[in-house]
Amino acid sequence: MAAWSPAAAAPLLRRIRGLPLRCTQRMFASQTEGELKVTQILKESFPRATTIKVTDISGGCGAMYEIQIESEEFKEKRTVQQHQMALKEEIKGMHGLRIFTSVPKH
């Protein structure tokens, strides 16, 4: 791997300058503010969940998320019902959402 230099970083910086600041945060932070907020809401909604994973797939802008939830609370619910149980109000402000729900396998 080449050593860092201003000349090597210039193309990346040119691309970043055109993006809103909140979009560039994804390149440098482990979780975005939106991911943390959605994760907290889901943890409160599904306290017995064995898996909750939230990924901002909009590049950090908070417009689109991929969510994975594994919880006993989904048992005997149809997929559409499972999806409706999660983020009823928050979905209204999102551009898009990919959601995967499942029941833990014992």
Side-chain angles (χ1 to χ4, degrees):
M1 187 166 150
W4 184 88
S5 72
L12 175 63
L13 294 174
R14 277 195 294 275
R15 285 184 294 200
I16 290 173
R17 283 190 191 121
L19 295 173
L21 179 59
R22 64 177 196 257
C23 292
T24 60
Q25 290 172 347
R26 180 54 160 181
M27 295 176 199
F28 305 108
S30 59
Q31 268 197 310
T32 65
E33 184 178 320
E35 288 170 335
L36 293 171
K37 179 181 175 186
V38 172
T39 300
Q40 185 60 39
I41 291 167
L42 291 171
K43 284 181 178 181
E44 291 170 5
S45 299
F46 301 98
R48 299 181 317 183
T50 54
T51 301
I52 295 177
K53 183 177 179 188
V54 178
T55 306
D56 185 334
I57 56 176
S58 66
C61 298
M64 188 167 179
Y65 292 94
E66 179 175 290
I67 297 171
Q68 297 173 345
I69 310 167
E70 185 177 85
S71 177
E72 285 288 336
E73 296 164 82
F74 296 135
K75 195 171 190 169
E76 299 182 12
K77 302 262 192 238
R78 293 188 325 262
T79 302
V80 172
Q81 291 172 317
Q82 293 175 13
H83 292 184
Q84 290 171 339
M85 291 171 67
L87 303 172
K88 291 177 190 175
E89 290 300 312
E90 292 77 16
I91 289 173
K92 294 175 185 176
M94 294 179 189
H95 175 71
L97 177 68
R98 281 192 277 189
I99 185 166
F100 305 93
T101 55
S102 61
V103 176
K105 294 176 176 72
H106 295 276

